[in-house]
Amino acid sequence: VEGDVIPIDFSIATADVPVISVKSLLEGTVPAAALKGKKVIVGATAMELRDSMAVPVHGIVTGSVLQMLAAETLLQQRVPLPTGEFVTGALSLALLFLLAVLSIRLRLSWFLIAILVVAASVEGAGFWLYDKHAIVAETVPAQLGFLCLAGAAIAVELDGRRMRNAQAMVVIDNYRNVLGQVFEDS
């Protein structure tokens, strides 16, 4: 359909795609079996033609390689589906709420380990969804939330330590004053 944008699955390997030069084809040095039953994309691969672009996973590719990736995406029925902002946001908020509840119950070190485990699990689930179902789970909002939550937990812990140190200094000063008074009175 004209005007539709179809995402390309950049996880498709390009290394196994045979490249046959037009010169070899015109000279007849290419065996007929090499083309029989195959789909052919004709394109230039010379970088000097400036028909190249930067893409995820593969780096800089030529236009014909990009066309091959797009065609294979459609042929393999692996058009990446984004999860959408609502699903990503709801999942991120649920995980952040769970971690916030855990922050009340756990010491800082265990809480930070829990954040790391959850963050790694979210990324693993994202890789699994993409690999098995071509679903693109946007994990960046969740990871940023985890990072902010970890930063806030560390800040709260440091502030608590600062307050306890200040209280301890007041107690020490009070003991010094009392001991100083006892010494003077004796």
Side-chain angles (χ1 to χ4, degrees):
V1 179
E2 189 175 327
D4 282 351
V5 175
I6 299 172
I8 297 173
D9 183 2
F10 290 106
S11 69
I12 296 172
T14 60
D16 298 334
V17 176
V19 177
I20 299 172
S21 71
V22 172
K23 180 182 177 191
S24 300
L25 194 61
L26 293 175
E27 289 175 350
T29 59
V30 178
L35 297 174
K36 187 174 183 175
K38 305 277 169 92
K39 298 187 181 355
V40 177
I41 295 175
V42 178
T45 57
M47 289 298 210
E48 297 81 17
L49 296 175
R50 300 191 194 255
D51 180 29
S52 58
M53 56 219 63
V55 299
V57 180
H58 303 289
I60 296 177
V61 298
T62 61
S64 55
V65 171
L66 186 62
Q67 289 176 8
M68 182 276 303
L69 286 169
E72 279 299 311
T73 296
L74 294 173
L75 288 171
Q76 293 180 20
Q77 297 178 351
R78 290 226 2 122
V79 176
L81 269 170
T83 55
E85 294 173 2
F86 178 76
V87 172
T88 302
L91 178 63
S92 298
L93 286 175
L95 289 172
L96 287 171
F97 179 75
L98 172 70
L99 286 171
V101 169
L102 282 177
S103 73
I104 297 167
R105 305 229 181 257
L106 297 176
R107 288 184 22 216
L108 179 64
S109 57
W110 286 109
F111 177 63
L112 293 177
I113 290 171
I115 287 178
L116 284 174
V117 168
V118 171
S121 299
V122 165
E123 284 302 312
F127 281 121
W128 180 81
L129 282 171
Y130 188 74
D131 184 46
K132 299 298 181 194
H133 304 287
I135 295 174
V136 179
E138 298 178 24
T139 59
V140 172
Q143 299 297 358
L144 287 175
F146 299 150
L147 187 61
C148 290
L149 191 59
I154 291 170
V156 166
E157 178 71 20
L158 290 175
D159 190 50
R161 287 182 183 187
R162 184 190 58 78
M163 288 180 64
R164 286 189 296 276
N165 284 343
Q167 289 171 343
M169 292 306 291
V170 167
V171 169
I172 290 171
D173 285 343
N174 287 342
Y175 280 131
R176 280 188 187 144
N177 290 338
V178 168
L179 289 174
Q181 190 64 39
V182 168
F183 185 71
E184 277 184 29
D185 289 345
S186 65

